[in-house]
Amino acid sequence: MDTVAARGLDGLTMAGLGRQVGMSSGHLLYYFRTKDELLLQTLEWSESRLGAERGALLSRPGSARERLDGYVAVYVPDGPRDPHWTLWLEVWNRSQNADDEARARQAAIERAWHRDLVAILAEGVSRGEFRAVDPDRFASRMRALLDGYSVHVAVGLPGTGRSEVLAQVREFIDETLIPRT
């Protein structure tokens, strides 16, 4: 993951990666077949770690808003060249030419994020913490917003650091989701 983040997939050779991890390129190719498969499996591994973090977040006591803020904090990259987000950028870039199996695996990862956000939103709506929105539709819109901001953070666009993005998202949630008193 760190090698892909540092060099990108185009700057990665199986021979170079093999040297870095103490394996032959043939051994890597035996397990991964292609660089695209290596990338996707690395993303799946990274996502399993984040999935566990999201699961712990969802099971915590507290308000739906607290869990939503935690979800956003897990979603948004730490900063430019965040290894997890660099993997996503590489996968998205290659997904137009990916086969159906690879696209299905990518979609499964996306669905997990979506499902967890829908659960938080549905809970908040049912408790009256959030306005009466369609959780599925709102989650789609919010994830698009988070993806856009996160790409800006991950590529290091000026004025879009993590703290600025988190503040913008908090403001968006306050304006669109929190009931007015």
Side-chain angles (χ1 to χ4, degrees):
M1 187 164 90
D2 291 337
T3 301
V4 171
R7 297 185 192 149
L9 201 60
D10 289 336
L12 175 74
T13 65
M14 294 303 247
L17 180 61
R19 281 190 300 278
Q20 194 170 358
V21 298
M23 299 175 90
S24 71
S25 59
H27 204 111
L28 287 172
L29 286 169
Y30 173 78
Y31 286 105
F32 299 109
R33 296 186 320 270
T34 65
K35 284 198 306 186
D36 286 340
E37 180 62 20
L38 171 71
L39 175 66
L40 190 52
Q41 282 193 37
T42 303
L43 179 64
E44 288 170 332
W45 169 82
S46 176
E47 282 292 333
S48 71
R49 292 175 46 215
L50 282 177
E53 193 174 339
R54 280 194 329 272
L57 171 81
L58 289 171
S59 64
R60 270 193 258 177
S63 70
R65 175 60 189 264
E66 290 167 338
R67 281 193 285 292
L68 180 57
D69 288 342
Y71 176 98
V72 170
V74 169
Y75 202 106
V76 174
D78 290 334
R81 302 221 43 92
D82 177 285
H84 177 77
W85 266 91
T86 301
L87 287 173
W88 266 116
L89 294 173
E90 292 284 353
V91 167
W92 283 335
N93 186 46
R94 292 171 139 12
S95 65
Q96 357 177 21
N97 299 319
D99 62 27
D100 290 342
E101 180 200 348
R103 292 175 82 94
R105 288 163 61 197
Q106 179 184 343
I109 296 168
E110 299 268 5
R111 279 192 305 275
W113 280 97
H114 187 80
R115 177 198 66 232
D116 290 348
L117 181 54
V118 168
I120 294 168
L121 294 169
E123 176 190 351
V125 169
S126 72
R127 289 182 173 181
E129 290 180 51
F130 300 150
R131 289 182 185 166
V133 298
D134 177 329
D136 187 62
R137 286 179 48 113
F138 194 90
S140 293
R141 292 174 180 162
M142 185 160 179
R143 286 189 52 243
L145 176 80
L146 289 170
D147 283 344
Y149 274 135
S150 293
V151 168
H152 290 186
V153 173
V155 300
L157 290 182
T160 57
R162 179 179 168 82
S163 60
E164 292 90 356
V165 164
L166 292 175
Q168 289 281 351
V169 173
R170 273 192 300 277
E171 184 178 318
F172 170 78
I173 291 168
D174 289 343
E175 291 174 354
T176 60
L177 202 55
I178 304 303
R180 303 212 191 274
T181 54

